[in-house]
Amino acid sequence: MRTGRLLTAALLAGAALFAPAAPAALADTPTPSPDPSASGETAGPTEAGTTFRTAAAFEQGQRATAEASAGDYLYWVFRADAGQRPTVRATVKLPESAARHGASTWQVDVYDGLRRRQPCMYGMQTRTAAADAAAVELSCTLRPVRAWADTWANEPLPGSYYVRLTVTRLPEQDHGQPVSARIEAESADAGGAYAVDGALAAPLGPAGAAAREEERALVKDWSAGWWSDRWIWTAAGGVLGALAGVAGYALTRGRGRPSHVPPTA
């Protein structure tokens, strides 16, 4: 009976420890950000930069917009922290189909603070819009941002992330036609599986001492600390290991000396 109670307690303790971590797997898929006008969020910038240096800054959860001409390079920048898996979405509203002369191909690229182009894990990074299409939608989901990486690695690191939107193929007659662009970024929690024992001295950001100091001042407001759900799994493993040891001892120690056997036997 004692052994049965120990095993039951071990199972209940394990279920209690692992139950809170289970919903975290559901958070791996990013959910669409709410409409800023409906939720009262701060509106994003209404203009885009034309180079890395003039990129318009916006925060995750905001929607940045811009009016531009077909053929322009449009730049925005946002910040991402360790443990996040950012997803960038872009929507381009095209001119009236009667004014266009053929299909167009649009592309969204994401660069880190060192201006290294980051590959997309999944998403439609490049898409061709038919001549009669009203809009084109693009997306790019990056790899999880790590707190630290070797200098030779191309891992995404905490700091600034630049978004570049442009058309890569367009009929010559359609260059300069007006278009409307919308950019938004959001992140899913990648979890402690991507946590590492290390951290950057400062988040990756634009070159220059002034820009670096600004990033250091802002990092206290948005950068995560040392905590991750990796600590929960470590603690849970230790508790389950201790319970397994107690249960194993109870199963193997036996019942002791039978009552009918004298102590001197």
Side-chain angles (χ1 to χ4, degrees), residues 36-128:
S37 60
S39 61
E41 293 182 3
T42 305
T46 56
E47 295 181 353
T50 55
T51 64
F52 283 102
R53 292 182 178 275
T54 61
F58 72 101
E59 298 294 336
Q60 295 192 44
Q62 291 183 335
R63 291 185 179 181
T65 58
E67 301 292 330
S69 300
D72 290 345
Y73 283 84
L74 305 179
Y75 289 83
W76 294 268
V77 60
F78 68 95
R79 296 176 298 186
D81 195 13
Q84 295 182 339
R85 179 180 287 163
T87 296
V88 176
R89 293 186 177 89
T91 303
V92 182
K93 185 177 180 181
L94 303 172
E96 295 293 334
S97 57
R100 306 208 304 266
H101 298 81
S104 58
T105 302
W106 295 80
Q107 181 169 311
V108 61
D109 296 298
V110 183
Y111 300 81
D112 66 8
L114 299 179
R115 302 183 187 178
R116 302 176 301 181
R117 184 176 179 273
Q118 294 294 320
C120 302
M121 289 185 63
Y122 50 85
M124 190 65 70
Q125 184 180 8
T126 303
R127 177 169 284 181
T128 298

Side-chain angles (χ1 to χ4, degrees), residues 1-8 10-11 242-256:
M1 293 296 292
R2 179 183 298 176
T3 301
R5 287 195 298 268
L6 287 173
L7 291 177
T8 302
L11 291 175
L243 291 174
V246 173
Y249 172 76
L251 289 173
T252 57
R253 70 169 184 162
R255 297 179 177 272

